[in-house]
Each structure stands twice: as C-alpha cells, then as structure tokens.
C-alpha cells in the first residue's frame, strides 16, 4: 500500500500545527515542573529534545490527540483555549502509554529513534511514564476544586481504565491460538482496539467539549465518535503493518506477520471459509522466513482479509462521521474536525 | 539490631486489623472491576492470592497507609467509613509504587515472595502498576462530581508527584560520589525520603481527615506529620538495611552496604570529621566482600553514623507527634493513632 497523502485536504497539517502551537506553552510549562531528569526524558519522549537534552533534530508526533481536544472545545462553541488543559492531559497520557507499551512490547524504535527504555533504561522509562501519568491527572485537577474539574478527571480515568484493559487484552492475544474455540474473534479484536486506541481519542474530543461547557449528550456523542475512530486507526495500523511501505512506516515489510501478531486482516481471513493453508502456515512453530511471510500475506489477501479489514475500518469511520453529524456542533470547527479526521484516515486506508 | 516488638503497645496489631477489615470490602470491589488477568496480578501484589490466583499462603502487608486514612477520618471526628475511599486509593498507590520500584531497583523479592515482575514478567508488572494507579485516581473521582471529590484528587496528585520525584532522586543518588562537592547531603537525603515515603503517609492521614470534613488546617497538620513520619520510617529502613537481623528483615546482613546504597547512617558518618578509612573503603571500585562490609559497618558506627541516624529518626518522630498534638483531633482516635505510630516506629528504632 502506498501513501495517498496527496488526497489529503491541504488544511490538515495546518490544523494540526495550529493546535500544537496553541497547546505548546501549557505543555512546556507542565513538563518544566517535573524533576529535571524526568523532564529531560519527557522532552525526549515528546520529541522536544534529543538524548541528554540537546535540541530536537527529529520531528515531533502529529499531536492528533491534543488537536482533538482543542477542536472538541471549538466544536462545542467555546474557544480553543478552553480545551488546552484537556489537550495537555491527553497528550501526556498518550506519551505515557507509548513509553510503557514500548517496554511491554519490546519495541526498540519509536518515530525512528531509540525508544525511551532503550535510550535511558527500562527503570527510568517506567518512572518517566509514571511521572507523565501523574502530571496528566494533576493538570486536570489543578485550579479551583470544582464539580467541573471532578467531572473532567472522571472522564480521564475512564479512558485510562479502558487503555489498560485494551493493552492487557492485546498482550494476552499473543498467546491465543489462531483457530479453534480459543481463537481471537473479530468482535474481541475490535473491543480491544476501542479500548486501547479509541478510548483516549474519544476522551480527547469529549474532554475538550466538556471544558468548553458542552451539554452532556454532546460530550457522549464525541466520545463515541472518537472510539469508532480509534478502531479505524488501529485497523489502518494493521494494514500498514502487513502491506505498508517500509520507507513510510519505518518498519520492516510484513513485520506484523513475521511477529505472528493477531491483526484484523489475518483474523478476518481465518474467519472466511477455506483457509487451511493459511492456518497451517501460521500455526507452524518456527518463525516465518521471507518467503513464508510473503506467502502468508498473499493468502490473507486471497481469503479477503485485506478487503474485509478495509471495509471494517471504513464502517467505523462512517459511524464516527454520523455521530459528528448528529451532534449539535458549531459548523466551521465541526467541518475542520471532519476534514482532519478524513485526512488522517485517508493517509493509510 | 534485634526486634523490640515486645515493647509495642498490644493495641497496634488490633488497630491495623480493624482498619484492614473495614477497608477490605471496598478494596476487593475495586480490584474486582479490573481486567481478570490484571486483577489476578493485583491480588498477588496485595498479598490476597498466590501466583495463578490460588488462595494466599503468605501474610498481607500491614496496611499502614489504609489504617492512617481510616484513623485520619476518625481523628477528624468522622466515622472510619468516611475515610475508606481514601484508604483504598492510598493502598492502591502504595502497591503501584512497590511494583514499579521493584522493577527500577531490580529487587527480585518482596515480602518473601518473588516480586511481581519476577513472577509475571516485567511488561505485565508495568501494566499492573499502571492499572492500580488509574484505579486509585478513579476511586477518588468516582461518585458525584463535587468540589470535595476534586480536592481529594488534587491531594492525591500532589503525593504522586512527590513520590515520583523522590524515586527519581533515589535512583540518581546511586551514581553520585560518596565525598566531595557532588556528594549527597543529609538535607538532600531527607528531602528524598520525605517525597518517596512521607508524601503518601501524609496524604493518607490528610485524605482521611478531609473526606470526614476536617478543616483545611487540620488536613495540613496531618499531612506534615505524615511527612515527618515517612522520613523516620525511611531512616529506620536504612538502619535495618545495615544492622537488621536477616531473620526478621528477610534481607542479607549489611545488604545496603554491599550494594553501595546511599543510606543516612553512611552519609552522617562521612560528614563527621576524620573518616578517610570509610571514604576510601566505599570508593573502592570493586564490590565489598564480607570482611569489607563488616569493616565498613564498624567504621560507620564508630564515626557516629548509627547514633546520628537514630537521632534524626527520633527528631522526625517527635516533630510528627508535636504536629498531632497541636491539631484539633478527637482525643480517643488521636491517642490510637499516636500509639500505632509509636509502635511502628519502635519496631525498628
């Protein structure tokens, strides 16, 4: 699959940059209050500096979650500024989860650089994640102790619970068989993806709206939209993990197949009638070699796994779109939000 | 140093048991809402079950922090029940910090059993810690979103920030020299101990009181008392780490000296005039052998490190006592609290 970045509405990078610029001072202030050593690790993890604190030479993340919080506030009729504490909190939670997930998954690379645990050690990376986690909650709980602040914290804790639950399921999927009654079902997979990826996207949107004074039903619709979006993004990741261009993904071709990862295209293919060759290949105890993974990718595609996963991703995107369309949102920010989401989705699917 | 458990007021184990019994249902309910795999790990970490979920054959921890939250509520004139959400939260935070600290410190044993990361793997132990952390915040943020709930969460986040800061300093102390301008000072050490151990003890007491409707100044006095207490406990740990009876501590004799840990008795001894032999011994690049650690322990004692550390611990205990005496607390619970603290302290110092 090649990048289709040219199809993106040109506005998307600008929207992301505008939101990043709006959030940057508050994010920097929050990080600056940490223990200096932890602040350096946080800066590295956020792409704000290199190892040892030298100025950043790599690009930062896109900042999708912070943008969703800002756009959520604007779509609820408030100012983008109103969403900033929520934006800082979700960006910190996202970074915390990447730090700890990289340890759990043994991923040594993150955005083309050594993962934090590779650069600073496992113990310090655990600590830095904890610090960002605590800082995220503190950011929302700071300021006057109001019912409003309590509701925002509660929203974040719901996302945190789902995040941990999704990561737990994802780790456990690795030990489950490919076929038979113990196999991972498509529904189970999508629940995992909703928890692991969707909950925080939904939280970002809803938290932004809530901080801008949105009514409860608007926040709920935005939360649900974000959850569908998360499933679509996770499926897009799966598609890239098998058919993505290594020059763009920064990961080896067919990497997820080589690692035997339970991804949606494979699960869909195994659910299609007549897949004994694929099941046999995946069940072989030895790691697949180059020709094995090529063969597996072809079998997944022939059994409809690629098309089926793409269909699922599009279904979740449409559901997110429908929820945004029915929520009472300010027209211009809602349009910007939809265009951003469609651009992000079309980058990969 | 031998145990002086016989000097403890007989009430202390009963007080701890009463508080554990009061908190147990809420703690079990909170844990029960976790992902089943994570719940099993949490049960193991809390001493409620063995590996695989089998009934516990080892004793649980004493539950000092949950007891402080319950007694804090009672001392503020409320019921112990009022302090239960705070008790659950601090017990979860304490367990989370033990799980992650054991990973960072490479400690393979905890309460005579394999540490969670040894029993379930590093990744799962990171995840279980994250889950307990999130659950702690969720416990306080649950229920009606009130200003009261927001204040409780804010109190907990302050303790969390200090906890991370103390752990960061403790990790960094390992790489600092024993002498010279870069050496760890006694004041620095005590700030680390206050953050790492005292903040959560203070939070437990103050959170319990706050949940029972205590005025702000009472909560502040209790928080400060808990912080002094934490420094005293940490010093007691240091004394046990050098002169403790292995049959009681479950750790090798002189273990902290063998590992070259920056403990208060050694720092005090190095600050005394005329310690070239000790400094030379500690600065030797090779690990100390049995005769080396025995010699080091004797040098620390001769330079006044043991007596000086004991004096510091007693000073902090007296400061905690004085704060409790000046706070307006209900007489009977306050007496129970003081007797518990004195019993815990006299166990070791």
């Amino acid at each position: 699959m090649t990048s289709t970045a040219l199809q993106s509405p040109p506005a998307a990078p600008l929207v992301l940059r505008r939101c990043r610029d709006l959030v940057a001072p508050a994010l920097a202030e929050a990080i600056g209050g940490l223990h200096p050593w932890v602040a350096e690790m946080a800066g590295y993890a956020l792409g704000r500096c290199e190892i040892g604190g030298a100025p950043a030479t790599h690009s930062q993340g896109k900042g999708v979650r912070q943008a969703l919080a800002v756009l959520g506030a604007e779509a609820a009729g408030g100012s983008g500024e109103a969403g900033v504490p929520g934006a800082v909190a979700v960006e910190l939670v996202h970074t915390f989860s990447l730090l700890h997930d990289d340890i759990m998954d043994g991923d040594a690379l993150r955005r083309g650089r050594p993962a934090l645990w590779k650069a600073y050690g496992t113990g310090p990376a655990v600590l830095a994640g904890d610090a960002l986690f605590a800082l995220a909650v503190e950011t929302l709980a700071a300021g006057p102790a109001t019912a409003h602040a309590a509701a925002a914290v509660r929203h974040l804790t719901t996302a945190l619970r789902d995040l941990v639950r999704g990561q737990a399921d994802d780790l456990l999927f690795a030990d489950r068989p490919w076929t038979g009654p113990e196999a991972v079902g498509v529904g189970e997979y999508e629940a995992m993806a909703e928890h692991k990826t969707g909950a925080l996207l939904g939280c970002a949107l809803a938290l932004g709206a809530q901080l801008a004074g949105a009514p409860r039903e608007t926040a709920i619709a935005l939360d649900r939209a974000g959850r569908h979006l998360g499933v679509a993004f996770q499926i897009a990741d799966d598609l890239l993990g098998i058919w993505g261009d290594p020059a763009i993904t920064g990961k080896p071709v067919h990497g997820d197949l080589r690692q035997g990862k339970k991804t949606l295209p494979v699960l869909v293919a195994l659910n299609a009638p007549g897949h004994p060759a694929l099941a046999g290949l995946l069940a072989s105890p030895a790691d697949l070699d180059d020709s094995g993974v090529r063969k597996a990718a072809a079998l997944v595609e022939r059994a409809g796994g690629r098309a089926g996963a793409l269909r699922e991703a599009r279904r979740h995107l449409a559901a997110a779109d429908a929820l945004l369309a029915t929520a009472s949102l300010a027209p211009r920010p809602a349009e910007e939000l939809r265009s951003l989401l469609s651009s992000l989705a079309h980058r990969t699917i």
Side-chain angles (χ1 to χ4, degrees), chain A:
Chain A
M1 173 175 288
T2 54
S3 165
T4 52
L6 292 176
Q7 296 172 18
S8 307
L14 293 178
V15 173
L16 289 171
R17 146 110 30 128
R18 174 174 74 80
C19 295
R20 273 204 311 273
D21 288 348
L22 184 65
V23 176
L27 191 56
E29 194 190 330
I31 298 289
L34 291 171
H35 184 288
W37 180 47
V38 176
E40 181 192 311
M41 290 193 277
Y44 178 78
L46 282 157
R48 298 163 58 90
C49 67
E50 301 303 322
I51 299 171
T57 56
H58 286 74
S59 66
Q60 299 181 17
K62 288 190 290 293
V64 172
R65 286 152 196 84
Q66 56 185 297
L68 293 185
V70 170
L71 294 173
E74 291 174 346
S79 72
E81 280 80 6
V84 166
V88 171
V90 294
E91 204 61 25
L92 292 173
V93 166
H94 178 56
T95 310
F96 136 75
S97 77
L98 295 181
L99 293 188
H100 283 190
D101 286 2
D102 282 347
I103 295 171
M104 293 179 219
D105 302 338
D107 286 337
L109 278 179
R110 166 71 55 192
R111 290 181 197 137
R113 298 186 306 170
L116 190 78
W117 68 273
K118 269 286 177 191
Y120 286 83
T122 299
V126 171
L127 184 72
D130 294 344
L132 294 179
F133 191 160
L135 188 59
V137 180
E138 194 180 344
T139 300
L140 282 187
T146 61
H148 211 58
V153 170
R154 199 159 53 173
H155 209 120
L156 189 72
T157 59
T158 305
L160 285 166
R161 185 183 45 191
D162 284 354
L163 203 69
V164 170
R165 182 171 284 271
Q167 176 67 5
D169 276 331
D170 200 20
L171 287 176
L172 289 176
F173 283 179
D175 294 327
R176 303 261 297 270
W178 286 104
T179 52
E182 292 299 312
V184 178
V186 169
E188 258 186 300
Y189 171 94
E190 297 202 356
M192 177 280 290
E194 182 193 320
H195 291 141
K196 185 175 162 137
T197 308
L200 192 59
L201 295 173
C203 175
L205 279 169
L207 206 48
Q210 193 178 23
L211 290 169
R216 203 175 122 74
E217 51 275 25
T218 303
I220 290 174
L222 287 172
D223 184 76
R224 287 182 54 209
R227 285 171 179 264
H228 280 294
L229 200 67
V231 180
F233 281 7
Q234 187 65 52
I235 298 173
D237 244 27
D238 284 0
L239 289 163
L240 284 174
I242 301 179
W243 293 284
D245 181 347
I248 292 166
T249 63
K251 294 176 182 174
V253 67
H254 299 152
D256 282 355
L257 280 175
R258 208 178 296 268
Q259 290 178 29
K261 238 186 126 187
K262 304 277 183 320
T263 59
L264 193 68
V266 182
L267 298 178
V268 169
L270 289 170
N271 269 295
H275 53 67
L278 177 61
L281 196 60
L282 294 171
S284 72
D287 278 357
L288 293 178
D289 60 9
D290 283 355
S291 111
V293 290
R294 262 200 308 278
K295 196 169 157 197
L299 287 171
V300 170
E301 188 150 11
R302 205 173 314 147
R306 186 176 187 170
L310 202 50
R311 212 159 37 234
E312 272 304 285
R314 291 203 172 116
R315 186 173 71 76
H316 284 284
L317 278 180
D321 242 4
L323 281 160
L324 292 178
T326 55
S328 13
L329 303 176
R332 207 197 53 77
E335 188 43 49
E336 202 168 71
L337 182 59
R338 268 202 298 274
S339 132
L340 171 68
L341 297 182
S342 132
S343 149
L344 290 171
H346 282 99
R347 192 181 57 91
T348 47
I349 54 181

